[in-house]
Amino acid sequence: MGDTSNVEAFFDKVITVKMLPDHTAVNIIDQTLLPETIKRINLTTKEEMWDAIKKLRVRGAPAIGVTAAYCIALLASEIEASDFDSFYKEFKADKDYLASSRPTAVNLFWALNRMDQKALFEKDKPLDQIKEDLFVEADKIREEDVQISRNIGEIGYRILKDLKKDGQPVGIMTHCNAGTLATAKYGTATAPMYIALEHGWAGTDMHVYCDETRPLLQGARLTSFELHNAGITTTLQCDNMASILMKSGKIQVVFVGCDRVAKNGDAANKIGTSGVAILAHYYGIPFYVCAPSSTIDMATPTGDQIPIEMRDKDEVTEMWYKERMAPEGIDVFNPAFDVTDHSLITGIITEKGMCHAPYDKAFEKLGIVAK
Ligand code: MRU
């Protein structure tokens, strides 16, 4: 087994989200400041929580789910009510408010619904007990996410092992950040790489190409930061450089995350992902979507029904520049996600196993059902 103590130390340094031990605040790393500044902030009011999700201080589908669970647990603990019905009325209002922060990642709604079900299940218990148990449930969601990523990583690692040829690194491309910063520990798309290190691979045994991921630069600011810190050979490229790189033969596999997978396997992920999938298909490169089962939305039949978040135009025109880089008043198209057609996906890696088309049948076989 490889020595991954440096990676573990890095994971500890950048823990995405935790609850303070005295249950007074949800504590997150502010991802908008990375990679230059590692700063943790406390979220105490529901407005701060909503804003942190909306502004991507915390982001990535699984991390949004864990954060939402902690946030609703904290808000619930502060509800002053004398009976369950009045407690639940406020709980629902807080839940609906948090759910309105971002529309695409289904993990947000999944985690909030799970917390809701927990509250309802315990409705005959004393309110103090229910409040305590909601904290326990949020911890469970966090702990489960660690194991889910690990399982995805083990399956992805087997793919890497099959691709490994003596003396040559395996070329991997990824888009956006589906790494430790997007989850509770290993990431989803990055988990195979971290598991490979555990199995004794050197960082030079793989070469990960990170798409910069315009406009919010999750690949540049987050994924390349993570992988570089883990000692994995990492190259950053602008999104429009993927084609020339794939054509060069340096990429053997693509791993990406996802925000919502429809029943038919269509997968919403960060804007630009579907373009990478189309290129991979053209060049004959396997393209895998790494998906916790909580990201698979069996109630959404196809990608056409997945709501796509539209974001502010200043993210494109001025956010990253000293001066604006487009004329005042210009119209801007800024969808945060796109949907990769299931026909372009080689396989969807869940924590329960690998899925191949037809995806609805494969999901059902693994016991993934509408929630
Ligand atoms: O807008 P973001 O940064 O929240 O988008 C994140 C992604 O698209 C990730 O790839 C996805 O959430 C999967 S994270 C394991």
Side-chain angles (χ1 to χ4, degrees):
M1 289 307 252
D3 176 11
T4 54
S5 48
N6 63 325
V7 182
E8 291 288 334
F10 181 72
F11 287 157
D12 283 347
K13 202 162 105 184
V14 297
I15 287 175
T16 319
V17 54
K18 58 187 174 192
M19 173 61 70
L20 292 188
D22 61 1
H23 291 176
T24 54
V26 179
N27 179 265
I28 60 165
I29 185 165
D30 185 345
Q31 298 195 35
T32 62
L33 304 176
L34 292 172
E36 286 299 296
T37 307
I38 296 186
K39 185 178 169 208
R40 303 198 68 84
I41 56 171
N42 284 338
L43 311 175
T44 53
T45 67
K46 61 180 165 206
E47 290 79 14
E48 284 169 352
M49 295 165 183
W50 189 92
D51 192 68
I53 298 172
K54 176 77 188 170
K55 299 227 172 93
L56 276 58
R57 295 188 200 290
V58 59
R59 32 104 3 241
I64 292 173
V66 175
T67 304
Y70 278 131
C71 288
I72 194 68
L74 181 57
L75 295 174
S77 73
E78 289 163 352
I79 296 173
E80 286 173 19
S82 49
D83 59 82
F84 182 81
D85 286 348
S86 39
F87 166 82
Y88 188 64
K89 204 170 153 212
E90 269 196 59
F91 177 91
K92 279 281 274 183
D94 288 342
K95 180 191 151 195
D96 291 347
Y97 175 70
L98 292 176
S100 69
S101 54
R102 292 190 79 188
T104 304
V106 77
N107 304 59
L108 172 63
F109 315 104
W110 170 85
L112 289 170
N113 287 340
R114 179 160 154 182
M115 297 296 281
D116 189 342
Q117 277 159 21
K118 181 75 184 168
L120 283 176
F121 184 73
E122 302 214 335
K123 72 180 184 4
D124 296 326
K125 288 190 178 172
L127 282 176
D128 282 349
Q129 181 68 56
I130 298 175
K131 290 175 179 179
E132 199 47 47
D133 289 349
L134 285 171
F135 283 118
V136 174
E137 190 69 7
D139 278 338
K140 254 172 126 177
I141 290 176
R142 186 179 190 289
E143 282 152 25
E144 284 168 19
D145 187 63
V146 175
Q147 191 55 48
I148 285 167
S149 295
R150 246 204 105 77
N151 291 2
I152 289 173
E154 294 285 357
I155 298 171
Y157 167 63
R158 292 204 283 277
I159 295 168
L160 292 182
K161 226 167 57 171
D162 287 346
L163 292 168
K164 185 94 187 79
K165 296 204 181 77
D166 276 351
Q168 276 173 28
V170 179
I172 306 164
M173 191 180 284
T174 190
H175 190 79
C176 193
N177 173 265
T180 188
L181 288 159
T183 63
K185 188 160 179 184
Y186 300 98
T188 56
T190 54
M193 307 160 202
Y194 292 127
I195 300 295
L197 294 179
E198 286 186 14
H199 282 272
W201 284 36
T204 48
D205 284 334
M206 49 199 144
H207 190 153
V208 184
Y209 292 83
C210 302
D211 275 349
E212 176 189 40
T213 319
R214 283 276 294 158
L216 291 182
L217 310 183
Q218 289 92 333
R221 296 187 302 106
L222 309 176
T223 310
S224 68
F225 166 65
E226 268 189 54
L227 299 176
H228 189 61
N229 264 285
I232 293 172
T233 309
T234 305
T235 299
L236 175 64
Q237 63 186 11
C238 300
D239 302 350
N240 52 7
M241 296 164 190
S243 178
I244 189 170
L245 187 69
M246 286 186 179
K247 191 176 182 186
S248 75
K250 287 190 178 148
I251 303 297
Q252 278 77 57
V253 64
V254 180
F255 287 126
V256 294
C258 54
D259 286 80
R260 190 187 298 224
V261 179
K263 188 176 180 184
N264 71 342
D266 291 349
N269 191 45
K270 181 50 53 192
I271 190 70
T273 305
S274 69
V276 176
I278 291 166
L279 289 173
H281 186 69
Y282 181 81
Y283 290 114
I285 298 166
F287 180 97
Y288 290 97
V289 171
C290 301
S293 56
S294 53
T295 313
I296 298 170
D297 181 5
M298 295 294 273
T300 297
T302 75
D304 291 344
Q305 290 84 43
I306 298 177
I308 300 293
E309 177 184 12
M310 299 301 290
R311 294 190 62 90
D312 287 348
K313 58 184 180 181
D314 70 318
E315 291 179 350
V316 176
T317 54
E318 51 205 292
M319 190 163 167
W320 306 102
Y321 303 118
K322 281 205 180 112
E323 303 162 20
R324 43 179 308 125
M325 283 293 143
E328 283 288 355
I330 192 71
D331 185 35
V332 172
F333 178 56
N334 187 17
F337 301 96
D338 61 22
V339 175
T340 298
D341 195 87
H342 61 276
S343 63
L344 299 169
I345 299 171
T346 310
I348 298 180
I349 309 176
T350 80
E351 78 278 15
K352 296 168 189 272
M354 169 70 85
C355 298
H356 294 290
Y359 288 105
D360 53 349
K361 299 276 174 311
F363 296 151
E364 274 160 19
K365 209 166 157 199
L366 292 181
I368 299 168
V369 291
K371 289 131 201 157

